[in-house]
Every structure is written in structure tokens, then in C-alpha cells.
Amino acid sequence: MNAGVNQERLMKVLLGPIISEKASIVADQSAQYAFRVEPTATKREIGQAVELLFEVKVDAVQVLNVKGKAKRFGARLGKRPGWRKAYVRLAPGNDIDFGGGA
């Protein structure tokens, strides 16, 4: 692990997995897993955090910013906040199980 990134920061980078139909299709087809991540997180930090927390080898990381939607609350206009998503591709032979064996 890179000595420049402290372990406490890596524990806060991943906010949670994205469990959706699209995410499960991508996971089955290309061993990529989707995570909601900290808006300031870099690709390197995300990869190191996944390796640290799930004890797997990360092959590649793709990051995108999801824009918040404009919503109406009665007569008021509002906006949901934007967030950051990461697709993490694992090296062959590695796997993450979010199901818990259900």
C-alpha cells in the first residue's frame, strides 16, 4: 500500500455498495462492482480502499459524477444533491459477495 495515503482516509472513501439491477448485470458480465464514494476520492484511493476492505486485487477503477435531479416539493422547486459513483474491476479470480449467502 502507498505510504502517502493513510489508512483512516481509505476507510472513509467508500460510502457503500450500489445494489441495483444494472450493477448486478455488470458484476456478472465483467467482474465490476459499483460503489458510492466520497466526492473528493481519487481513483487510486478508491482502488486501495477496496483492496484493503475486501482483500481482493483491483485491476481498474472508473469514476463518474452523478448530477442531482431537480424535484418539486408541492409548490417549491428543489434539487437533490449530486454524488460520485465508482465502478471497480477486479483482477481475474477475485470476487466480492454482498449477498451474505442468502
Side-chain angles (χ1 to χ4, degrees), residues 83-96:
W83 51 285
R84 192 162 166 99
K85 178 177 10 180
Y87 286 102
V88 178
R89 174 173 285 139
L90 301 181
N94 290 284
D95 190 33
I96 297 175

Side-chain angles (χ1 to χ4, degrees), residues 10-91:
L10 292 180
M11 298 299 270
K12 295 178 182 176
V13 166
L14 297 180
L15 301 179
I18 297 174
I19 310 291
S20 66
E21 189 172 352
K22 180 181 176 183
S24 61
I25 290 169
V26 171
D28 290 341
Q29 288 179 348
S30 59
Q32 282 187 318
Y33 296 89
F35 293 95
R36 192 176 187 129
V37 297
E38 189 70 32
T40 59
T42 64
K43 286 183 177 186
R44 178 168 285 150
E45 286 175 338
I46 294 166
Q48 289 176 348
V50 170
E51 287 181 350
L52 175 70
L53 293 173
F54 297 103
E55 296 174 359
V56 294
K57 181 77 175 109
V58 172
D59 200 20
V61 177
Q62 293 175 302
V63 178
L64 59 125
N65 294 314
V66 180
K67 290 193 165 125
K69 294 181 178 181
K71 291 287 183 178
R72 292 186 69 100
F73 301 101
R76 297 179 185 264
L77 285 174
K79 185 176 178 297
R80 289 189 179 162
W83 51 285
R84 192 162 166 99
K85 178 177 10 180
Y87 286 102
V88 178
R89 174 173 285 139
L90 301 181

